[in-house]
Amino acid sequence: MTITTPVMLTAGQWKVDVEHSTVTFTVGNLGHTATGTVPILDGTVEVGPDGLPSAIYGSLDLSGIVTGIPRRDKDLRKPKLLDLDRYPVSTFKADRMTASPGGGWSVSGYLTARGTRIRLTGDVEVSGQGQEATLTARTQLDRRAIGLRAPKLMIGHQVGITVTATVRHLASGSAGGPGAR
């Protein structure tokens, strides 16, 4: 295994540029792989003086989910699936972040979706320099952990999630957003 030095970001708050960021997912569906996207509503990364994250927060607009099949998108809104009329937003707040051997970060925290809070862990690749960077986070979610029940033949248990976020460093004195808690 090769150990790479992690990309160090400038200390301070980094804000997700939601217009240039996205979440994609993949899940087994009736013997095929279904893919989709979810819009990012907000996100921040606090970076300590060591160049590593000290806090990460993000929120997603689950009501904006798009799989490319309108009927499936409508079905996902139902109470037995994502229950989007009651829970249109999902949030993630990290509480453990460490440098990983590949040069990025290992991140662990709590995801809230469908009114359920679960622990989620993933790896983040960091690229960029100066005042802008791209963070690519990958994780797996067992849909049953958030109460999403359906026969395995219809929807696979594991949902692969990839967040690709462009973040920009906020100049000192800039106001923080909802993630600056």
Side-chain angles (χ1 to χ4, degrees):
M1 175 192 310
T2 303
I3 297 179
T4 307
T5 304
V7 174
M8 302 298 192
L9 298 179
T10 303
Q13 187 177 66
W14 292 71
K15 183 85 171 145
V16 172
D17 177 349
V18 298
E19 297 298 320
H20 296 96
S21 302
T22 190
V23 174
T24 58
F25 66 89
T26 60
V27 64
N29 181 249
L30 297 172
H32 301 284
T33 299
T35 61
T37 60
V38 178
I40 296 173
L41 290 172
D42 184 41
T44 56
V45 178
E46 293 287 339
V47 176
D50 60 358
L52 297 173
S54 59
I56 297 174
Y57 171 83
S59 61
L60 305 177
D61 178 9
L62 293 180
S63 67
I65 196 168
V66 174
T67 66
I69 299 176
R71 180 173 178 200
R72 179 171 42 209
D73 296 347
K74 184 178 177 183
D75 286 345
L76 286 171
R77 299 191 71 80
K78 293 179 179 178
K80 288 187 179 182
L81 292 176
L82 290 174
D83 199 2
L84 296 179
D85 290 335
R86 287 182 47 198
Y87 306 107
V89 175
S90 176
T91 61
F92 178 77
K93 186 172 184 179
D95 61 1
R96 278 191 246 159
M97 292 125 315
T98 58
S100 64
W105 310 326
S106 179
V107 175
S108 183
Y110 288 96
L111 173 79
T112 301
R114 292 189 85 244
T116 303
R117 184 175 180 244
I118 63 162
R119 188 139 195 86
L120 201 59
T121 299
D123 293 312
V124 181
E125 296 172 15
V126 184
S127 61
Q129 57 188 11
Q131 302 301 302
E132 183 174 296
T134 299
L135 309 179
T136 305
R138 290 182 180 81
T139 191
Q140 290 283 320
L141 167 71
D142 185 330
R143 66 170 168 79
R144 298 169 296 179
I146 60 169
L148 204 153
R149 306 281 183 225
K152 186 176 181 182
L153 293 175
M154 290 183 65
I155 303 173
H157 291 165
Q158 296 299 314
V159 179
I161 301 170
T162 301
V163 178
T164 305
T166 298
V167 294
R168 293 195 170 82
H169 186 256
L170 297 179
S172 59
S174 295
R181 297 173 206 253

